[in-house]
Amino acid sequence: MLLKDRISIVTGGSSGVGRGIALEFAREGARVVVADKQEAPLRGKYHETDVTTPTVEEIEKLGGEAIFVQTDVTDESQVERLIEQSVRHFGGLDILVNNAGIHIPGGAQDISIAQWDQVVGTNLRAVFVATKLAIPHLKGSEYGRIIQIASVHAYGGGAGPAYAPAKAGVVNMVRDTAIEVGEFGITVNAICPGYIETSLQDYLTQEMIDAVAEKTALPRFGKPRDVGRAAVFLASDDAEWITGASLLVDGGLITGT
Ligand code: NDP
């Protein structure tokens, strides 16, 4: 097991990519705090249409240990409580995964300024807040890891004027934080997924899904597990000298665009 007894927090862990990461962490022996606004998994129009079991229950079925802490990551007092509760329950913190994120489709003339704030608040500001509040605890770990879930859209436009800049901000924040916490042996990396089979993709039409799959070198959407395995690697001892990096997990989507 690559993460035996490591204590991890996965935000947005009830559904989609976060659930995939939480399950793979548990398979590798990690203890997982699932932090999300609600415990029930989201069900998508195309993907995850029949998911019903909460992540914690699924982890317990695997013989793992997990707790759910209801958290809105945009509220710093809730994030503070999440971290305190996690440390108190499991006795420390080794791995923080900032995965919770939202996407509001539409261009600059479609989305409101309040929606822009909402997307950047969740996808960038909240990543900073959880990272800031977790670092003092990660300093006490021999295996401190911060993994930020960005996106291929960090490298190009096309996902709206809030989502893409927020994800680009995450990629650069990773580099900055890596420098700051390197002396404590904490690594900080991003994963940049391509299109993954989650309910976040409900806004697409079937034609758009087919077109994306077609221009992907490995021609399919990713699965939450694909991102989960990359996160396991970055959290494991195998990645102890990798920091400030952004790992594309996109099936070769942007190599061809
Ligand atoms: P989903 O919408 O399937 O799941 C996101 C989860 O995060 C949901 O459980 C959602 O809960 C939760 N969440 C949203 N806002 C908050 C909040 N403020 N506080 C706590 N939890 C919250 O999305 P994905 O799994 O697809 O996305 C996960 C991450 O991966 C995001 O950062 C996204 O940008 C990134 N990503 C996804 C890609 C994809 O193709 N799916 C591609 C590239 C990146 P609720 O809905 O109840 O609010």
Side-chain angles (χ1 to χ4, degrees):
M1 283 189 173
L2 295 172
L3 304 177
K4 186 97 185 82
D5 294 333
R6 305 278 161 93
I7 301 157
S8 62
I9 294 176
V10 181
T11 71
S14 291
S15 311
V17 170
R19 180 181 172 89
I21 295 169
L23 292 176
E24 294 312 312
F25 275 15
R27 282 198 179 94
E28 295 296 342
R31 292 177 274 183
V32 186
V33 179
V34 176
D36 207 304
K37 287 202 284 190
Q38 54 177 9
E39 189 161 18
L42 296 172
R43 298 173 76 167
K45 188 164 89 178
Y46 305 105
H47 314 295
E48 307 203 301
T49 52
D50 55 358
V51 182
T52 50
T53 323
T55 307
V56 169
E57 226 179 289
E58 215 47 63
I59 288 175
E60 284 167 352
K61 279 196 224 159
L62 294 169
E65 252 185 283
I67 56 167
F68 174 76
V69 179
Q70 188 171 31
T71 314
D72 180 340
V73 296
T74 62
D75 177 341
E76 50 258 47
S77 64
Q78 292 190 33
V79 177
E80 209 169 342
R81 187 179 46 96
L82 160 71
I83 292 170
E84 270 169 22
Q85 230 171 296
S86 307
V87 169
R88 203 171 343 113
H89 186 88
F90 285 123
L93 182 63
D94 300 303
I95 307 163
L96 170 70
V97 181
N98 280 308
N99 160 83
I102 56 169
H103 174 243
I104 299 178
Q109 300 309 302
D110 306 308
I111 69 165
S112 67
I113 294 169
Q115 286 175 318
W116 192 93
D117 285 340
Q118 203 187 334
V119 173
V120 176
T122 309
N123 295 2
L124 182 59
R125 183 182 184 277
V127 171
F128 161 69
V129 169
T131 301
K132 176 180 172 59
L133 297 176
I135 286 171
H137 301 282
L138 293 170
K139 280 182 185 171
S141 164
E142 260 183 80
Y143 320 96
R145 299 280 190 272
I146 299 172
I147 299 171
Q148 319 287 34
I149 305 304
S151 166
V152 283
H153 287 107
Y155 300 105
Y163 188 86
K167 294 300 190 180
V170 168
V171 163
N172 211 30
M173 200 200 300
V174 153
R175 300 183 186 118
D176 188 78
T177 316
I179 294 168
E180 182 181 337
V181 299
E183 65 175 298
F184 307 107
I186 303 169
T187 73
V188 190
N189 294 291
I191 295 176
C192 294
Y195 288 69
I196 309 296
E197 291 180 350
T198 75
S199 63
L200 195 93
Q201 304 299 358
D202 281 2
Y203 73 100
L204 298 173
T205 62
Q206 189 57 54
E207 291 69 37
M208 289 157 92
I209 291 175
D210 295 343
V212 170
E214 203 179 313
K215 68 178 179 188
T216 303
L218 300 170
R220 64 167 173 85
F221 267 40
K223 296 184 185 305
R225 182 183 182 280
D226 293 319
V227 182
R229 293 314 300 175
V232 165
F233 167 65
L234 289 174
S236 75
D237 293 350
D238 293 336
E240 68 179 7
W241 205 59
I242 298 175
T243 197
S246 298
L247 178 61
L248 281 167
V249 179
D250 72 340
L253 174 67
I254 67 167
T255 58
T257 51

